[in-house]
Amino acid sequence: MIHTTEATELSQDERLRYRRHLRLPNVGLEGQRKLKQARVALIGAGGLGAPSALYLAAAGVGTIGIIDDDVVDATNLQRQVIHSTATIGQKKTESAAQRIRELNPHVNVVQRDERLTTENAVDFVRGYDIVVDGADNFPTRYAASDACVIAEKPYVYGAVYRFEGHVSWFDARTGPCYRCLFPEAPPAGLAPSCEDAGVLGVVPGIIGLLQATEAIKAIIGIGTPLSGRLLVYDALDASFREMRVRKDPACPACGESSTMRAPLGAADECASNGQRSENVQQTPFDVQPQAVKERLDRKDAFELLDVRDEDELEIAALPHTMHIPAHEVAERVAEIPRDRDVVIFCHSGGRSSRVTTLLRMQGFENVYNMNGGATRWSTEIDPSVPKY
């Protein structure tokens, strides 16, 4: 339960708006007042943050703080339902705030147009009662979770991957924290981004709503939180299952001997949803799309290797390429020439970078990663190649 100060009275318009809540015996007028008094922080206004924000606002949460540094892109609209075609190119915080105010003018929206980091996380979460995490990358999740441990705030976790979603409730004062479940981020390349792997648009909607439900329950003081339980949803067989999460006495964040005073952070090993091509990390073996184009124009003797999946080729194909999906490279390494340069690309640069590293570890000295992949090729070289 979230402890709030004495709540302000509801206006006549609010009593009418929330009438279905007021009739619930476990909510009523007192519960609605608690919602109005509550302050909820949303990390990210994307696939998870969008449904969470809409339903928290509709429920009457008095203050919603949103932190996000991204802008609305057409590829977001398949799942980020708080945005619209009209707000493409607009800051996500502004687009989300505008929609929230249209839905419920009684909600105060606080916008922070920046990425949550280890430097600003504690300052951000201190001003709120609950933190709902809609981040799509590990560094942000760890920064948020660590900050919640330090600031003694509950942290509502959600994550999605293709057809599956996870949700849980972490409060280090009474149970485990996120690091008790995942002590460290997975090795670089092990967990592909939603941009690379894809995600069914309704799945973040379901998980985001579950996150909002956990926050609302806690504010009102009803039901049982998902503390110590990880709820796993599989859309393909319409199933929910639970996994137990135990508090780790040796957890570096909330364990018995923890001395954490600032978020520990995590290496930025995973690209975020909708990551812009100019933000793709450079490696010593990267080549730029323009350099590849010049080699093609000169008809140089080199191989252009596409490691995307088959379905991606149907959407957008580059000319003069050989194709081996990234997950098959280890088994088909003999097909990759060693007697000439090989430039590898994928959708946005993540998978191709991992394949480049793998091949170099196996003795290939002439393999290179095309930075930014097909997305950057479309932007800088050939706009006729569709973006997706």
Side-chain angles (χ1 to χ4, degrees):
M1 178 177 177
I2 304 302
H3 299 284
T4 59
T5 58
E6 184 180 354
T8 55
E9 190 55 68
L10 300 180
S11 67
Q12 188 58 40
D13 179 70
E14 289 172 299
R15 287 170 181 257
L16 178 63
R17 178 182 291 266
Y18 307 128
R19 185 166 62 181
R20 297 299 188 272
H21 273 179
L22 301 182
R23 300 200 52 168
L24 288 171
N26 290 336
V27 181
L29 192 57
E30 180 183 358
Q32 197 62 51
R33 286 169 174 162
K34 290 177 180 178
L35 287 168
K36 183 174 182 177
Q37 191 74 13
R39 297 174 59 85
V40 176
L42 284 176
I43 299 173
L48 295 172
S52 293
L54 287 173
Y55 275 87
L56 289 169
V61 169
T63 299
I64 297 176
I66 307 173
I67 184 168
D68 198 313
D69 70 337
D70 206 356
V71 297
V72 180
D73 184 83
T75 61
N76 301 148
L77 303 182
Q78 164 252 18
R79 63 200 177 281
Q80 299 179 20
V81 294
I82 203 167
H83 310 299
S84 70
T85 302
T87 63
I88 290 175
Q90 192 173 336
K91 291 179 179 179
K92 284 187 177 179
T93 53
E94 183 57 39
S95 173
Q98 176 181 316
R99 180 68 186 97
I100 289 171
R101 293 182 184 116
E102 291 171 353
L103 177 64
N104 191 345
H106 301 287
V107 176
N108 175 38
V109 185
V110 180
Q111 301 166 227
R112 285 187 63 162
D113 301 320
E114 58 183 313
R115 177 181 287 263
L116 187 110
T117 66
T118 54
E119 286 74 29
N120 64 17
V122 176
D123 172 67
F124 177 65
V125 305
R126 281 197 196 280
Y128 296 90
D129 304 312
I130 299 176
V131 176
V132 176
D133 185 9
D136 56 8
N137 62 87
F138 286 102
T140 304
R141 287 188 192 127
Y142 282 107
S145 174
D146 291 350
C148 287
V149 173
I150 294 167
E152 298 185 334
K153 306 290 183 180
Y155 168 82
V156 188
Y157 159 70
V160 294
Y161 178 76
R162 292 186 170 172
F163 303 97
E164 185 175 284
H166 296 173
V167 62
S168 191
W169 169 277
F170 296 110
D171 188 339
R173 296 169 295 182
T174 58
C177 76
Y178 178 72
R179 282 190 187 270
C180 293
L181 177 61
F182 300 114
E184 297 179 353
L190 187 60
S193 69
C194 285
E195 184 177 10
D196 281 343
V199 62
L200 186 66
V202 296
V203 173
I206 293 167
I207 299 304
L209 290 181
L210 288 170
Q211 289 180 279
T213 303
E214 289 299 296
I216 290 169
K217 284 162 46 183
I219 292 166
I220 299 173
I222 58 175
T224 304
L226 276 170
S227 179
R229 298 179 291 155
L230 177 69
L231 188 64
V232 180
Y233 171 67
D234 187 331
L236 292 181
D237 61 13
S239 68
F240 286 91
R241 66 183 189 276
E242 282 190 7
M243 297 172 56
R244 300 300 301 177
V245 182
R246 303 185 186 281
K247 192 173 182 69
D248 180 6
C251 175
C254 72
E256 296 171 356
S257 59
S258 173
T259 58
M260 184 177 67
R261 296 292 180 270
L264 303 174
D268 193 357
E269 296 167 342
C270 298
S272 63
N273 283 348
Q275 182 184 45
R276 296 175 290 279
S277 60
E278 64 266 23
N279 289 336
V280 175
Q281 184 178 2
Q282 299 274 346
T283 75
F285 311 116
D286 274 13
V287 294
Q288 307 308 312
Q290 183 59 43
V292 177
K293 171 68 162 53
E294 291 170 0
R295 295 195 67 173
L296 287 172
D297 290 344
R298 293 195 304 264
K299 296 183 173 17
D300 287 356
F302 78 104
E303 204 72 54
L304 190 56
L305 173 60
D306 187 341
V307 295
R308 296 175 299 159
D309 293 338
E310 290 284 353
D311 59 323
E312 294 176 272
L313 298 184
E314 297 177 7
I315 302 172
L318 270 64
H320 311 298
T321 63
M322 67 179 294
H323 175 243
I324 303 177
H327 63 274
E328 296 180 10
V329 167
E331 299 174 357
R332 298 173 59 182
V333 69
E335 300 177 32
I336 300 173
R338 292 177 180 264
D339 61 348
R340 56 187 179 275
D341 288 351
V342 178
V343 176
I344 306 169
F345 75 94
C346 63
H347 180 208
S348 57
R351 282 169 289 176
S352 56
S353 179
R354 297 191 288 272
V355 170
T356 301
T357 300
L358 170 68
L359 293 176
R360 285 193 168 266
M361 290 175 65
Q362 296 192 17
F364 284 80
E365 297 180 353
N366 59 341
V367 294
Y368 303 91
N369 172 53
M370 187 171 78
N371 186 276
T375 297
R376 191 169 169 194
W377 182 273
S378 176
T379 301
E380 300 180 6
I381 307 299
D382 185 1
S384 69
V385 175
K387 290 185 178 180
Y388 62 97

